[in-house]
Amino acid sequence: MIRQLRTRVFSRGICGEDFRILVDRGPPAFQLVFGENTLVKIEFDVARFGEHSHLVHVPELGRPPQIITAYPEDGELRVLGPVHWKESVHSPLRRPRGAQRVGMIATGFGADKWRRITVLARAIDEARLNYNFLFQNSNSVVATLADAADTGFVDLPGGGFNLGAGNLLYDELMGGPQVPRFLIRGGTSHSASSESDVPRNVPQSSNTDG
């Protein structure tokens, strides 16, 4: 059964209900499917067409998985993690959806690699970049971290659009132009620029989307 589930997950993902059952069985069951020292991308549909992405690191047996997730806060792109995957209020585990899919993006992802991308995740959070639903969001963060880790991830077929996934955030972190802030308050759209210093020790790449 585990072998069949692993094949299914790696080929097309699983639905939210099946994912919840797997999570409720605890880290050992999760590790049987995904393996130890593995990086997993979790994505689920929002607004019926877009996707919201997370990264989960599955460590060695006996240690709980950790999650990195991004979200908007007052028009800024915030990044939380790594934290225990069940403790984050932004974790997909708290509100699983039927359309949620789980996709594998890397194997052999040890603790050292995980620590390196968490440094970049914190740099993105501290930069207080603009949040934009279409171009600069959780998909942008996950795509940037996956690119920095050289996972070679290819998105699973089906599901919603990975809006913002083409916008790697290296240019913005180096002080380059940002996409406009996108935040709705009382029917009014607000725009603003980044308000914090930019870290200088991240790799550079061209901004391909916005």
Side-chain angles (χ1 to χ4, degrees):
M1 182 182 70
I2 292 295
R3 184 168 56 249
Q4 292 175 346
L5 183 57
R6 182 184 293 120
T7 300
R8 186 167 142 217
V9 168
F10 290 178
S11 63
R12 64 181 184 273
I14 58 179
C15 69
E17 286 80 2
D18 288 344
F19 181 60
R20 167 60 77 182
I21 292 172
L22 181 61
V23 169
D24 286 345
R25 292 183 180 273
F30 200 79
Q31 286 165 327
L32 279 174
V33 174
F34 292 99
E36 296 181 270
N37 291 313
T38 303
L39 189 67
V40 180
K41 179 182 179 182
I42 298 176
E43 55 189 22
F44 63 90
D45 298 339
V46 294
R48 297 193 177 185
F49 65 90
E51 288 182 350
H52 183 34
S53 300
H54 312 262
L55 285 180
V56 169
H57 182 243
V58 186
E60 62 272 13
L61 199 61
R63 296 181 56 202
Q66 291 185 316
I67 190 170
I68 292 177
T69 185
Y71 59 97
E73 182 178 275
D74 294 330
E76 294 177 339
L77 179 62
R78 301 301 306 272
V79 183
L80 177 68
V83 295
H84 189 293
W85 68 339
K86 288 188 177 181
E87 292 179 356
S88 167
V89 297
H90 303 284
S91 171
L93 305 180
R94 298 177 69 91
R95 289 183 296 274
R97 303 174 183 225
Q100 179 179 316
R101 299 182 304 137
V102 180
M104 187 72 159
I105 68 176
T107 59
F109 207 84
D112 288 341
K113 286 185 176 181
W114 178 244
R115 279 192 292 268
R116 285 197 291 271
I117 68 168
T118 61
V119 171
L120 179 55
R122 283 192 288 269
I124 296 172
D125 180 66
E126 292 170 359
R128 297 296 193 269
L129 303 177
N130 293 339
Y131 176 85
N132 188 293
F133 175 74
L134 296 177
F135 300 110
Q136 197 155 283
N137 48 44
S138 70
N139 296 323
S140 306
V141 172
V142 167
T144 303
L145 298 178
D147 179 76
D150 195 25
T151 62
F153 170 70
V154 177
D155 190 36
L156 291 173
F161 297 109
N162 276 351
L163 299 171
N167 181 17
L168 301 184
L169 301 173
Y170 302 131
D171 283 353
E172 288 88 339
L173 289 173
M174 298 301 294
Q178 288 197 59
V179 296
R181 179 174 295 185
F182 184 86
L183 178 67
I184 301 298
R185 286 178 176 170
T188 303
S189 178
H190 295 262
S191 296
S193 60
S194 177
E195 299 172 355
S196 62
D197 294 334
V198 177
R200 299 295 178 181
N201 58 348
V202 295
Q204 299 186 47
S205 174
S206 60
N207 182 355
T208 59
D209 196 2

